[in-house]
Amino acid sequence: MKTNRVIDGIRKDISPESKQQIELSVAIANRIYEILEIKGMTQKDLAQRLGKTETEVSRWLSGTHNLTLSTICKISTALGEEIVTVANDIKTKQGR
């Protein structure tokens, strides 16, 4: 496969933390898109539920926006679906 040296150089210089952040951001955006599709909703519908502009929601769903936990919770509530789940439940860790 032919690669672009400039892009390869950029990829090489990205820290593991940044790579993980990008992957998580894209995964969150993909999950929101999945929920929208299942519910037959558009980005505009989501924006209206959140009292935001369609442009702002579009930026969030680009996969490059650093969503806060507060924003993720608001989106989750607006959609009535979980967006992010934690792999290890706190209760399990505490032995309850």
Side-chain angles (χ1 to χ4, degrees):
M1 169 164 66
K2 186 175 181 179
T3 61
N4 181 312
R5 284 190 288 167
V6 174
I7 299 296
D8 289 343
I10 292 169
R11 284 187 188 128
K12 182 177 67 174
D13 292 337
I14 295 175
S15 70
E17 294 83 10
S18 292
K19 285 179 185 177
Q20 185 175 18
Q21 182 178 347
I22 291 166
E23 288 174 9
L24 286 171
S25 293
V26 169
I28 290 168
N30 286 341
R31 173 68 178 139
I32 295 168
Y33 275 121
E34 176 184 272
I35 295 167
L36 289 174
E37 186 175 318
I38 289 168
K39 293 188 174 270
M41 294 175 61
T42 64
Q43 287 182 33
K44 183 176 182 178
D45 296 328
L46 178 58
Q48 288 173 340
R49 286 190 182 189
L50 294 168
K52 301 291 182 183
T53 66
E54 194 174 347
T55 302
E56 187 170 7
V57 170
S58 178
R59 256 184 271 134
W60 291 349
L61 299 182
S62 69
T64 59
H65 188 81
N66 189 14
L67 293 170
T68 65
L69 287 174
S70 176
T71 301
I72 292 169
C73 289
K74 287 175 186 175
I75 294 169
S76 181
T77 300
L79 294 174
E81 296 283 341
E82 290 293 325
I83 295 171
V84 176
T85 56
V86 178
N88 294 314
D89 184 63
I90 292 171
K91 292 178 186 175
T92 303
K93 284 186 174 182
Q94 295 174 344
R96 295 183 186 172

